[in-house]
């Protein structure tokens, strides 16, 4: 349980942290929301947005994390969750259960989402795909 003895108050405004390109995927930009520091690494919260047109996507992978949610705030993204194609649109929230094999393969130019993951130092592991992935939508 997170409590006041192990966490700090945090309030990050849009200009407080810069978009950066050194995140997990080079075709996305990431903006820290201050939660990782405030929770001493127990939780990562970040904004993620499209930076380049989809070409190869994320590839099949899974995360070693206790929890992982994606809240789409703008645009849309198409994921394969195991063998199911899933369109995630602005306003949608996806809980990715621990270990689910998935592939983000397509997204709109304005795609932006909030990603919340615990712990913050979660691992990403490439996995074999259970099925074919549909083609992307050219920008």
């Amino acid at each position: 349980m997170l409590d006041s003895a192990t966490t700090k108050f945090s309030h990050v405004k849009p200009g407080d942290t810069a978009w950066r390109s050194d995140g997990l995927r080079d075709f996305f930009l990431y903006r820290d929301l201050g939660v990782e520091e405030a929770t001493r690494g127990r939780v990562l919260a970040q904004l993620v947005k499209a930076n380049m047109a989809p070409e190869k996507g994320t590839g099949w992978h899974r995360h070693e994390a206790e929890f992982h949610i994606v809240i789409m705030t703008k645009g849309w993204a198409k994921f394969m969750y195991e063998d199911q194609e899933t369109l995630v649109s602005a306003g949608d929230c996806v809980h990715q259960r621990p270990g689910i094999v998935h592939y983000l393969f397509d997204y709109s130019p304005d795609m932006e989402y909030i990603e919340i993951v615990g712990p913050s130092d979660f691992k990403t592991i490439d996995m074999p795909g259970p099925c074919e992935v549909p083609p992307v939508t050219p920008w």
Side-chain angles (χ1 to χ4, degrees):
M1 180 172 167
L2 300 179
D3 60 42
S4 61
T6 60
T7 63
K8 300 187 302 185
F9 176 80
S10 176
H11 179 185
V12 173
K13 294 186 176 205
D16 292 348
T17 57
W19 288 100
R20 61 184 218 290
S21 59
D22 62 345
L24 182 61
R25 311 286 179 197
D26 62 358
F27 43 88
F28 292 156
L29 294 175
Y30 300 83
R31 190 166 78 77
D32 180 49
L33 296 177
V35 175
E36 181 177 24
E37 181 182 345
T39 63
R40 299 183 183 179
R42 290 190 177 125
V43 178
L44 171 70
Q46 61 186 355
L47 288 173
V48 180
K49 72 177 179 177
N51 185 38
M52 295 179 220
E55 291 180 9
K56 60 183 189 293
T58 62
W60 287 104
H61 64 282
R62 67 178 177 84
H63 302 295
E64 288 184 350
E66 294 174 23
F67 69 91
H68 190 158
I69 62 171
V70 170
I71 303 166
M72 193 66 60
T73 57
K74 296 179 186 173
W76 55 265
K78 292 180 182 177
F79 292 80
M80 293 298 297
Y81 285 107
E82 296 173 336
D83 63 351
Q84 286 293 133
E85 182 176 341
T86 304
L87 173 64
V88 181
S89 300
D92 293 357
C93 178
V94 174
H95 171 256
Q96 295 179 176
R97 67 169 166 74
I100 191 168
V101 176
H102 60 285
Y103 192 131
L104 190 163
F105 68 92
D106 197 7
Y107 47 87
S108 63
D110 63 339
M111 181 211 73
E112 188 173 309
Y113 62 84
I114 300 169
E115 179 175 51
I116 304 171
V117 188
S120 64
D121 64 350
F122 69 97
K123 305 289 184 259
T124 299
I125 299 163
D126 291 338
M127 298 295 292
C131 64
E132 291 294 315
V133 175
V136 301
T137 307
W139 282 5

